[in-house]
Each structure stands twice: as structure tokens, then as C-alpha cells.
Amino acid sequence: MFPRNLGANMNRNASLLLSFLATLTLVASPAWSEGPTQDEIARAHSWAADHFGGKRTQALPYSFTYAGNPSATLVSRWKTVRKTNRLDSRRIQHALTSTDPATGLSVMCEAVEFRDYPTVEWTLRFKNTGKKNTPVISDIRPMDVSFSRTRSTEFQLHWNTADNCTQDSYAPHVEPLLPGANKPFASAGGRPTTGGYPYWNVEMDGGGVLAVLSWGGQWSATFTRDAGRTLSLRAGQELTHFVLHPGEEVASPLALLQFYDGDWIHGQNVWRRWMFAHNIPKTTGKLSFPMRYGCDGDLYPGLRTDLEGEKASIKAFCDQGLAPDTWDQDAGWYPCDPKIGWPQVGTWEPDTARFPGGMKSLSDFLHANGIKFILWAEPERTSSGTWITQNHPEWVYGGAGGGLVKLGDPACRQWMTDRFDKLITTEGVDIYRQDFNINPLAYWRKNDTADRQGITEIRHVEGYYTYWDELRHRHPGLLIDTCASGGRRNNLETLRRSVPILRSDYTGDPIGNQGHTYGLSLWVPVHGTGLNFKGNYDNRSAMAPIFGIGWDVKKPGCDWNLMRRTAKEWRQLGTCMLGDYYPLTPYSLAKGAWIAFQFDRPEKGEGMVEAFRRDEAREASLVVKLRGLNRTARYSVTNLDTGLNQVVTGRILMDGLRVEIAANPGSALVAYKRVPR
């Protein structure tokens, strides 16, 4: 389904590749800038005061069951200590600690209120301060909140399909939540952004609220609508039913709300800006996003490359004037049985038979050509016949036969941290790429006893974050690329430490790539994809803030001129994709449809429109209404395929821009830039 106000008008009689329709009626009049307003920020501050502040505190935004009793009847009777601390000029921390005098269970709700964005986040910590095991703690829901509407319009829930390595990964949806509605969501297999996607936008009362649950494991959430005007959301780790030992402490998932006024896409753009301001990792104080359009020549099959093959591929790209920013050494650089190939992981050292001098010999070659080195690894999975399973089977759920590595075990995590710390240093690694090609849930739950359900999962998630945090502490300039069979682990706390250079393992289909950009851009501003070089339509379909193309240089037939054109277009327009985002057509995977979207950087006065006419689309033109522009400003507008340029006002672009694509399938890139009057 597609949200209102963003439809497109199809016109079969268009004769120009690029023309402007000033006679169309403007559907909406969006603000020039999509930054947060003071009213939105005030709403967030008011909500934080109501739920975390002193005497004004209303019902706490979390719940759990303790010894069979709901927390609502318990915490109000416990002693609660409140503390407020200014973290910096943009963040205030609230800590509410409630303690059961009978058992010593301490529950801390730690919230962060952002002063420059309408955003509040919080998490829970449970600690046993007593001398005996606690009673059972269960059904922990760090997010237990309600929203009430005052207008007659119904709640509209915007949500996205997760990455299931499918064409419809990240597909956007919108549906009303009518009285009596019950809408459940859950992840699958223990990886947080497959099966379900824990990012939601609840539209109501001329504005709305974004709700996000961040957890590195298995979660569930339910939206419940009462018979009146209230919508409730309960979300958290899917299964919690455990006692805590004396001195033991555990953390819950992170819950977050962000408030907005106006239309729902404005809320998404405030989110994108907040992601840049407070979350996406930075190096030397600046955002750093690699472009990679090289890949190893022996990418398929087997991913078992060697030094000379890699150097030959790199040299071929450089000789053609296509030196990439980064080079990705994918799986298979370590010792592994040729009959098994790259999936045989667990011996984390270079295969010196194929890489004499280790990976340092490759990184030195790359650095000499001004190229950064990406090294792939998968530390949380191991196979039989590898160093880990042979030397430390006790570190593996599955033992000597291989399985899930116990990152929740301090000794195992310390060894893994030291091992990859050394590899990053000695092998000259600039970007560390971590994959996760295993569903961990069954291993976690099998390891839990009846009175400790959920503990193994919690310890693994905590260990995963700790492992990355320690690597980043030891290597302050290190960038991390997150991958989990594609995009199956892109929860917020992961995105605070890394960027997904490969957003999905479903990469070869241009329609799928168009849909992935359309849906994922709502929530993840920095993401990447790649493909084996095919042609202009395919390459543009895969264009992303981090962009990779590749070609096996041993094969004939590479169109180097087209590859240079693709790289030039990305370098010219790629930064626009870091701006505000507007879908311009309905989302569709149909072969007979068009799809188009816009990226706008109002502070720079520039942006771009991408439009795609698919294989069976009969109409040769599309009219779209641009958004986010200054209606009185003048813009120079250029079609990159024809070079046609015109200077028009923002009002004309917002009233209607017609794009014509003669061939199908075909694509168009339109760039615009504000010019002085």
C-alpha cells in the first residue's frame, strides 16, 4: 500500500525528455527544510517530563512481571531514586532506579532526552542486589506506551518488510489501525531485521510519532487498538523468564520515540537528520562513506582468491582510471578446504599459500594506490576442522562440530577481540566487515534452563556490542561494515557502530534494487549495495550512498566507458543521497510500473531525481511533484542523459516535472541546483 499525497500523473502524449507543468495543482506545501521544529522538540520534552521527571511522572513507559505480579502494582510501592545528568549540550540523561526492599531487585530505567531533536530513548537494567536468587522476572517490555488521538481521522501505521533476501525486502506499507485491531510483529531466527522490521511510524492528529525498538536478538511487538481513541504498543525481547543470581545484572532492548508534526514523510526526514547528527559513526569528526566499485576477479564461485589475482584485478581498474576508494577482500582469505570453500570459518589467519606475506601484502599494494582495505570476517560462526573447534570446542554451541561462537563467554570474547585487534593492525585493515550467516535463536534457547530463559541471548547480544566497542576503542579510526546475510542485523544499536555496505544479499535484480532504495531510505540514510557490472539501467537501479560495481577482468566484453560513466554519475550525485528523501511515485514491484524518488539537500540547494521505466511500462513519460524546495528560488535543472538544461523556479518543479524515457527498461537522472536570482 502507498501513503497519500505522493501519487504521480502518467502522460502518454509527452514529447519532451524534460519539461515542466506549471498548471498542475500542488497537493502539499512542504517546508523548505525538513529539520525539527521547536514545537516538535517541545512535545518530546513534555513527554519526557511526564514519564521520567519528578512529581509530574505518569505511568512508566515499561512493564514486566515479577513473581507473577505485574510491575504496575509493584514499582509504585518500591523506593524510587531519580537522578538527572546533562551529558552534553544536546543530551540530558534521566535515571529512575526502583528497588524491591524484600528481594533486592533493582530496576533502573535510564532515559536520554535529546535537546536538539524531538527524540527520547530509554533502556532497562535489572540487578539483583540481594543475597539470594530473585523470583522469576518475565515478560519484560521496555516499550509499553499508549497514544491517544483527538481528531476523527484514524491512526495510520507505516511499517516496512524486513530483509528476507527477497525482491520485496524493505517494502513500505501503511494501514489504518481501527478499533479492536491487533497488529503483531516479530523478528525471525534471532537476527533483528529479518522476519520483522522494528521501525514504525504512527501517523495521527496532523502529525505522529516514530517508535523504534533496538535489540540485537529476537524481539516481538504488538500494536493494540482499544474501542475508543487509544493505541498501545508493547515491545521487547520476545522471551524473558529468568531468575537473577546475587550480583547479576542484565539489560533490556532500547526503546525510542520521536515526535513530529505535519505529514509522515517529514517525520522520516527528521529521523534521517537525527541519524546523521547523533548515530552514524564518524571518523576524525566527519562522516566517512567509502565508494567501492571493484571486487575480486574470482568472486564466483567459491570466493577463494589469491594475491596475484587480486592485484591483477586492482591494476586493471586503476589502469582504466577507475581506482576505487576501497577494495573488499571478501570471504575465503583464510585456510579452508577447497571442497567446502569460504563457509569453513574459524581459523582466523591468512592462508599464506595463496597470500604470501599475509593480507599485508595486499593492503600494502592497495595503500600504494590510494585505496583503503576492507577485510571480511565472521567471528560468531565456526565450522568443524578449524582452529576454534579444534582448540576450544567449549567456546562453541555445537562443540567440535561447529556452530554459534559464545561471544557471551568473557574468555572467548577476549580471545576474539585480541585476535582481530592483531589482524587489523598487522594486516593493514582500514574497514572491518563482519558477517553473521547463522540463525542463533535455536542455540540460545537450547542452552537455557527453565528458570533462565532469555539469559543466553542477552549475554550474546551484550558480548557482541562489547566486542565491537573494544575494537573501536583500540582503533579509533576504524570503520565497521555490518552484514548478516545482507541486511538482517540493522537494529539501531548496530547502526550506531557501523554502516551496512551490503544492505541485502538480494542484489542482481534491478527492480528489487529500486525497491530496496525506495523503502530502506526511509530509515537507514547510509547503506550500500553492489552488483556485477551489467549496464546503465542495472547500475542506476543499484545506486546507493555506498555504491559498488565489479567485473571479472579475465572475462572479455567489459564496457569500460559505461563503467566510467557510472562512476562519474555516482561521484557527481551520490552525496545528494545523504539529504532529505521523498518517494515520488507509489511503491511497486510490477514490471509495468514506473518508480521514482528524490533526494534533496536544502542547505546546499541541490538534489536529484531518479526515475525508472520498467520492462512492460507502456507510458513513455512520468510527471512527478518535487518536494522540499524553496518555491521562490531559481534552480538549474539538468537531465544527465541528454544534457538538456533549464532554469526554473522551485514552484514550477513542485507543481510538476515531466520526465520522459524512450526505452523500456530505461532510467533517467535529473540533477538540480539553486542559482542566484
Side-chain angles (χ1 to χ4, degrees):
M1 301 176 68
F2 186 75
R4 63 181 184 272
N5 294 348
L6 291 175
N9 178 35
M10 306 298 288
N11 187 331
R12 299 189 185 191
N13 299 317
S15 59
L16 296 177
L17 183 62
L18 183 66
S19 64
F20 306 96
L21 304 180
T23 59
L24 295 180
T25 301
L26 186 66
V27 175
S29 182
W32 179 16
S33 171
E34 293 286 9
T37 68
Q38 289 303 310
D39 286 346
E40 291 168 335
I41 294 172
R43 284 182 62 198
H45 293 342
S46 177
W47 190 93
D50 287 343
H51 292 81
F52 302 114
K55 295 180 180 179
R56 294 180 58 196
T57 301
Q58 299 176 351
L60 294 171
Y62 64 82
S63 64
F64 59 92
T65 301
Y66 188 45
N69 299 303
S71 57
T73 64
L74 298 174
V75 175
S76 61
R77 301 199 298 263
W78 296 352
K79 180 181 179 181
T80 297
V81 176
R82 292 179 172 84
K83 294 183 179 179
T84 298
N85 177 40
R86 184 175 289 274
L87 297 177
D88 51 42
S89 62
R90 301 190 295 171
R91 297 179 301 157
I92 293 176
Q93 183 185 71
H94 305 280
L96 283 69
T97 304
S98 303
T99 304
D100 176 16
T103 66
L105 176 67
S106 172
V107 182
M108 175 187 284
C109 179
E110 190 174 79
V112 175
E113 177 184 353
F114 292 82
R115 306 299 293 177
D116 56 344
Y117 277 84
T119 310
V120 183
E121 64 179 45
W122 65 97
T123 190
L124 304 180
R125 299 199 71 87
F126 294 81
K127 184 175 183 179
N128 183 359
T129 65
K131 297 181 179 180
K132 298 180 180 180
N133 288 350
T134 66
V136 169
I137 309 162
S138 62
D139 195 26
I140 298 171
R141 291 292 179 262
M143 179 175 280
D144 193 336
V145 294
S146 296
F147 314 106
S148 295
R149 62 180 179 84
T150 60
R151 301 184 184 180
S152 60
T153 53
E154 280 293 352
F155 295 100
Q156 300 288 328
L157 177 64
H158 299 261
W159 57 278
N160 290 69
T161 300
D163 179 32
N164 303 311
C165 193
T166 53
Q167 187 183 57
D168 70 341
S169 290
Y170 308 118
H173 310 268
V174 60
E175 60 184 279
L177 292 179
L178 304 177
N182 186 274
K183 182 72 175 180
F185 295 90
S187 56
R191 291 182 289 181
T193 51
T194 190
Y197 207 65
Y199 299 82
W200 303 279
N201 184 330
V202 181
E203 188 180 3
M204 58 182 173
D205 287 350
V209 59
L210 276 60
V212 174
L213 185 77
S214 177
W215 182 239
Q218 184 73 13
W219 57 268
S220 64
T222 303
F223 287 86
T224 305
R225 173 67 194 283
D226 69 3
R229 292 174 174 265
T230 300
L231 176 69
S232 298
L233 169 59
R234 300 182 72 245
Q237 184 179 347
E238 185 176 71
L239 176 62
T240 48
H241 183 94
F242 53 76
V243 301
L244 289 180
H245 301 153
E248 188 176 20
E249 184 175 359
V250 296
S252 77
L254 181 145
L256 179 147
L257 295 179
Q258 181 171 289
F259 300 85
Y260 69 90
D261 297 322
D263 70 356
W264 73 276
I265 196 66
H266 166 69
Q268 298 296 158
N269 279 318
V270 172
W271 170 269
R272 284 173 60 91
R273 288 171 176 245
W274 178 75
M275 286 293 291
F276 282 116
H278 288 281
N279 298 280
I280 295 170
K282 301 175 177 66
T283 57
T284 63
K286 298 180 179 179
L287 297 171
S288 180
F289 311 116
M291 176 184 181
R292 57 184 186 101
Y293 50 79
C295 66
D296 55 85
D298 294 322
L299 183 61
Y300 300 105
L303 297 167
R304 280 179 55 86
T305 60
D306 56 47
L307 177 63
E308 294 308 314
E310 292 292 282
K311 290 170 68 173
S313 295
I314 296 163
K315 185 176 184 300
F317 279 96
C318 291
D319 288 347
Q320 292 292 333
L322 286 164
D325 298 320
T326 66
W327 190 266
D328 183 4
Q329 179 56 59
D330 213 329
W333 52 269
Y334 37 81
C336 49
D337 187 333
K339 295 181 181 179
I340 300 174
W342 72 268
Q344 190 181 32
V345 295
T347 303
W348 296 116
E349 59 187 37
D351 183 350
T352 54
R354 290 181 290 122
F355 291 91
M359 305 314 295
K360 185 68 162 59
S361 54
L362 176 59
S363 66
D364 283 347
F365 182 80
L366 289 168
H367 293 156
N369 286 278
I371 304 169
K372 291 186 177 182
F373 180 40
I374 303 175
L375 185 66
W376 179 98
E378 191 181 359
E380 295 163 277
R381 182 177 66 86
T382 193
S383 308
S384 62
T386 62
W387 189 93
I388 292 177
T389 50
Q390 291 176 337
N391 290 273
H392 287 283
E394 74 278 9
W395 288 352
V396 183
Y397 299 114
L404 181 69
V405 174
K406 299 179 180 179
L407 271 192
D409 181 324
C412 173
R413 185 173 63 251
Q414 185 65 53
W415 180 89
M416 197 70 73
T417 304
D418 292 342
R419 175 87 282 255
F420 278 93
D421 172 27
K422 183 178 180 181
L423 280 170
I424 290 166
T425 301
T426 60
E427 308 304 325
V429 177
D430 301 297
I431 299 172
Y432 168 61
R433 184 182 191 201
Q434 183 166 316
D435 212 336
F436 192 36
N437 294 302
I438 188 171
N439 284 326
L441 186 60
Y443 293 98
W444 292 335
R445 293 192 174 173
K446 184 178 180 180
N447 190 63
D448 287 335
T449 58
D451 65 348
R452 298 280 284 173
Q453 296 175 69
I455 289 292
T456 302
E457 177 180 347
I458 291 171
R459 295 302 178 217
H460 189 104
V461 172
E462 291 174 340
Y464 157 60
Y465 295 148
T466 300
Y467 168 65
W468 273 13
D469 289 344
E470 182 59 26
L471 285 181
R472 295 173 72 219
H473 173 72
R474 297 186 190 186
H475 303 274
L478 181 69
L479 286 173
I480 298 178
D481 165 18
T482 178
C483 185
S485 304
R488 304 187 183 206
R489 200 191 214 175
N490 289 335
N491 59 303
L492 179 59
E493 289 164 290
T494 291
L495 296 180
R496 284 179 167 170
R497 296 165 169 88
S498 63
V499 294
I501 289 181
L502 189 65
R503 63 195 182 189
S504 177
D505 275 357
Y506 188 91
T507 60
D509 170 20
I511 292 178
N513 275 326
Q514 295 161 19
H516 292 182
T517 299
Y518 187 114
L520 184 60
S521 296
L522 294 168
W523 293 105
V524 182
V526 180
H527 55 86
T529 190
L531 74 163
N532 287 325
F533 186 79
K534 293 181 179 180
N536 198 43
Y537 177 75
D538 293 77
N539 289 357
R540 285 180 173 178
S541 297
M543 187 176 287
I546 304 172
F547 185 43
I549 58 177
W551 181 263
D552 186 345
V553 298
K554 297 187 300 298
K555 294 181 179 179
C558 179
D559 188 339
W560 292 107
N561 288 329
L562 183 54
M563 192 176 291
R564 278 188 286 270
R565 173 185 173 180
T566 299
K568 181 180 179 181
E569 288 179 349
W570 184 90
R571 291 202 182 279
Q572 178 181 348
L573 298 177
T575 55
C576 291
M577 303 187 83
L578 307 179
D580 297 327
Y581 168 65
Y582 301 100
L584 298 177
T585 65
Y587 172 87
S588 174
L589 298 177
K591 292 183 179 180
W594 282 68
I595 195 168
F597 29 80
Q598 173 194 0
F599 292 94
D600 179 64
R601 303 184 77 187
E603 294 83 0
K604 298 283 187 180
E606 63 185 19
M608 62 181 277
V609 174
E610 288 186 272
F612 298 93
R613 180 188 178 189
R614 294 182 180 154
D615 306 55
E616 299 174 8
R618 293 179 298 172
E619 296 84 354
S621 69
L622 172 75
V623 173
V624 293
K625 298 179 180 182
L626 274 58
R627 300 197 59 181
L629 306 184
N630 184 332
R631 294 180 63 81
T632 62
R634 288 161 53 85
Y635 293 86
S636 174
V637 185
T638 304
N639 186 297
L640 268 65
D641 292 294
T642 66
L644 178 64
N645 174 269
Q646 297 185 42
V647 176
V648 296
T649 64
R651 179 185 65 82
I652 291 177
L653 290 172
M654 296 170 76
D655 284 355
L657 163 68
R658 177 186 288 141
V659 180
E660 183 174 289
I661 301 174
N664 59 327
S667 63
L669 281 179
V670 178
Y672 60 85
K673 187 173 182 62
R674 192 167 63 238
V675 296
R677 295 192 66 85

